């Protein structure tokens, strides 16, 4: 069960000790960069707390009924909150708080895991704070966020902090070979390209289309030689990420629509009851929000791929040791380093993060933010090879 926590040996030791009764807390905050396994760590601890073998050093066996149902997401006493929306609202948190006050069905703990605690609204945080301040004896809260700064200070001060690190390339590659049977060369590529993001590494290792999309994105910096090229690259990135997001959400949207029609008897009766229209409107609103969130996630991933190219160029420009993230396009990276200073490439990275902030924090349209960013990334006075 602990094997999915790649490169987190110290974290595993601390969680195992807690499951044995040493250093146990009623509230936890798991932090770490994207892909480091924050929610996996929370689920692993939840399974260890519910395990038939616990409390003790063997808790978290991964094979007993309790562990199996926790890992499958079907345990009666473990609630996982994930959101496809841009935020988690107060109504959802109030329902969690109500649930936290109930006695567990089993003999162990009532565990509530909030995967995206950084997306809690201010009202939701206030509703959560009182429950964390005055927990019941058998309730455990587990919050997950990228950094401690993403969580309200009054909440994080009441939680035990668990900080996960970015797994090393070697750890990620070994994990892919061991668990997914990936060839060593492909695993090494996926581990480097993912920059320690386990989910991304798995996608790159398993799917040729995902690898092709990434290859296209990391090829952009070498092509940004004119204003027209910048506009083309921005349009291409917006389009490919939108298509990928639509592929992920379209099937779910269709399934939700079918479930709604079935619930209101639209197919059986051949007509729509009065309550159907507002329910459909609410569903479509939620689906639009989810689609926007998913598109932004896809764009964000592409931006981090672009950042990796400029970081590689800085590494070459400063003669830093080590293997490049984008070793496969070393020629383009070396040329970028030749015609740009490390300071210029740092400015380009800053432009990427500025575009990211515009889209995520200030709701700037994706196409507009990407166009402005690509112009800032333009390479001037490039010498042809």
């Amino acid at each position: 069960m602990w094997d999915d926590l790649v490169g987190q040996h110290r974290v595993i030791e601390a969680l195992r000790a807690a499951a044995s009764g040493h250093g146990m807390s009623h509230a936890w905050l798991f932090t770490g960069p994207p892909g480091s396994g924050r929610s996996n760590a929370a689920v692993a601890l939840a399974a260890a707390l519910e395990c038939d073998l616990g409390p003790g050093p063997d808790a978290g066996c991964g094979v007993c009924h309790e562990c199996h149902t926790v890992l499958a997401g079907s345990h009666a006493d473990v609630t996982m909150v994930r959101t496809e929306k841009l935020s988690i609202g107060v109504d959802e948190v109030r329902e969690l708080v109500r649930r936290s006050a109930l006695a567990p069905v089993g003999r162990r703990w009532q565990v509530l895991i909030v995967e995206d605690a950084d997306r809690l609204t201010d009202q939701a945080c206030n509703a959560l704070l009182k429950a964390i301040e005055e927990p019941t004896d058998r309730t455990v809260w587990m919050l997950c966020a990228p950094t401690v700064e993403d969580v309200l200070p009054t909440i994080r001060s009441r939680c035990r902090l668990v900080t996960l690190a970015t797994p090393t390339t070697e750890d990620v590659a070994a994990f892919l070979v061991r668990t997914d049977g990936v060839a060593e060369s492909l695993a090494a590529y996926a581990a480097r390209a993912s920059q320690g993001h386990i989910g991304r590494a798995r996608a790159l290792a398993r799917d040729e289309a995902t690898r092709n999309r990434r290859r296209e994105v990391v090829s952009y910096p070498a092509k940004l030689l004119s204003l027209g090229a910048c506009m083309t690259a921005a349009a291409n990135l917006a389009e490919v990420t939108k298509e990928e997001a639509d592929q992920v959400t379209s099937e779910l949207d269709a399934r939700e629509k079918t479930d709604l029609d079935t619930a209101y008897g639209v197919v059986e009766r051949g007509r729509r009851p009065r309550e159907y229209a507002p329910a459909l409107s609410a569903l479509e609103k939620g689906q639009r929000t989810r689609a926007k969130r998913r598109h932004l996630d896809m764009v964000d991933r592409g931006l981090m791929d672009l950042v990796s190219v400029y970081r590689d160029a800085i590494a070459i420009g400063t003669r830093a040791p080590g293997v490049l993230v984008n070793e496969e396009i070393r020629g383009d990276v070396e040329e970028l380093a030749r015609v740009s200073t490390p300071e210029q490439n740092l400015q380009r990275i800053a432009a990427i993060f500025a575009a990211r902030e515009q889209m995520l924090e200030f709701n700037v349209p994706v196409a507009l933010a990407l166009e402005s960013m690509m112009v800032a990334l333009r390479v001037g006075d490039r010498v042809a090879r």
Side-chain angles (χ1 to χ4, degrees):
M1 185 187 69
W2 304 100
D3 291 345
D4 284 346
L5 301 182
V6 181
Q8 310 295 342
H9 307 295
R10 292 184 179 179
V11 169
I12 292 172
E13 290 177 4
L15 297 184
R16 276 182 163 162
S20 299
H22 304 290
M24 184 56 191
S25 173
H26 71 278
W28 296 75
L29 175 57
F30 295 86
T31 66
S36 58
R38 299 186 301 261
S39 59
N40 286 344
V43 171
L45 177 57
L49 293 176
E50 305 290 359
C51 180
D52 284 335
L53 300 182
D58 296 325
C61 64
V63 296
C64 72
H65 175 73
E66 300 296 325
C67 283
H68 179 74
T69 52
V70 171
L71 298 177
S74 58
H75 196 284
D77 292 328
V78 178
T79 302
M80 167 71 83
V81 177
R82 294 185 174 97
T83 183
E84 294 288 349
K85 300 178 181 179
L86 300 178
S87 63
I88 300 175
V90 65
D91 291 340
E92 191 169 1
V93 170
R94 282 174 178 161
E95 174 58 26
L96 277 181
V97 171
R98 184 199 65 79
R99 184 180 180 88
S100 73
L102 301 176
V105 175
R107 57 188 176 86
R108 302 299 301 283
W109 301 89
Q110 178 81 261
V111 181
L112 302 107
I113 304 172
V114 182
E115 188 176 73
D116 299 296
D118 53 310
R119 292 198 169 109
L120 291 166
T121 64
D122 290 342
Q123 283 185 314
C125 285
N126 291 331
L128 178 61
L129 177 59
K130 185 173 178 59
I132 291 181
E133 284 180 328
E134 302 174 3
T136 60
D137 291 339
R138 298 170 67 190
T139 296
V140 179
W141 288 91
M142 300 183 188
L143 312 180
C144 306
T147 70
V148 293
E149 286 76 19
D150 294 314
V151 179
L152 198 68
T154 49
I155 290 180
R156 70 188 188 225
S157 65
R158 290 161 174 79
C159 298
R160 177 176 173 182
L161 179 63
V162 177
T163 303
L164 285 80
T166 300
T168 66
T169 299
E170 293 75 17
D171 284 339
V172 176
F175 173 76
L176 294 175
V177 172
R178 182 179 72 254
T179 61
D180 294 358
V182 178
E184 290 187 2
S185 58
L186 179 56
Y189 161 76
R192 282 189 289 102
S194 69
Q195 301 177 74
H197 192 301
I198 302 299
R200 177 68 166 152
R202 275 185 148 162
L204 288 166
R206 293 172 176 174
D207 185 33
E208 178 65 27
T210 300
R211 294 194 291 273
N212 289 337
R213 283 191 290 267
R214 186 184 186 280
R215 291 188 187 105
E216 180 180 354
V217 171
V218 298
S219 73
Y220 289 156
K223 301 174 181 177
L224 301 179
L225 308 179
S226 66
L227 185 60
C230 293
M231 295 298 102
T232 298
N236 288 345
L237 182 55
E239 181 179 356
V240 71
T241 51
K242 182 67 165 59
E243 289 178 354
E244 190 172 1
D246 288 345
Q247 288 175 2
V248 174
T249 58
S250 59
E251 183 178 344
L252 179 57
D253 288 351
R255 187 165 61 249
E256 289 177 341
K257 176 64 164 55
T258 299
D259 291 343
L260 183 70
D261 290 346
T262 301
Y264 282 89
V266 173
V267 177
E268 295 177 358
R269 301 171 188 168
R271 60 185 178 84
R272 300 179 177 182
R274 181 180 303 175
E275 300 83 1
Y276 178 80
L280 178 61
S281 177
L283 175 65
E284 290 176 342
K285 180 180 179 180
Q287 289 177 340
R288 288 193 296 270
T289 301
R290 180 173 61 206
K292 179 180 179 181
R293 156 82 187 277
R294 187 57 60 90
H295 186 202
L296 289 174
D297 286 346
M298 298 297 182
V299 172
D300 191 52
R301 189 188 63 200
L303 296 185
M304 294 305 100
D305 288 335
L306 283 176
V307 167
S308 72
V309 177
Y310 294 108
R311 284 176 174 168
D312 281 347
I314 292 171
I316 289 178
T318 57
R319 302 181 185 276
V323 179
L324 301 182
V325 172
N326 301 282
E327 193 68 42
E328 294 74 17
I329 57 168
R330 175 177 280 272
D332 286 343
V333 176
E334 288 178 341
E335 179 65 7
L336 181 61
R338 187 179 71 82
V339 300
S340 304
T341 65
E343 290 77 14
Q344 288 174 322
N345 287 321
L346 277 173
Q347 291 172 1
R348 292 182 176 116
I349 290 176
I352 293 173
F353 280 103
R356 184 176 186 264
E357 183 179 21
Q358 289 169 357
M359 289 181 285
L360 297 178
E361 302 295 333
F362 300 107
N363 206 29
V364 174
V366 170
L368 182 61
L370 291 181
E371 287 176 357
S372 176
M373 181 195 75
M374 290 296 183
V375 171
L377 301 183
R378 180 181 174 184
V379 179
D381 300 325
R382 181 182 172 96
V383 179
R385 283 183 286 173

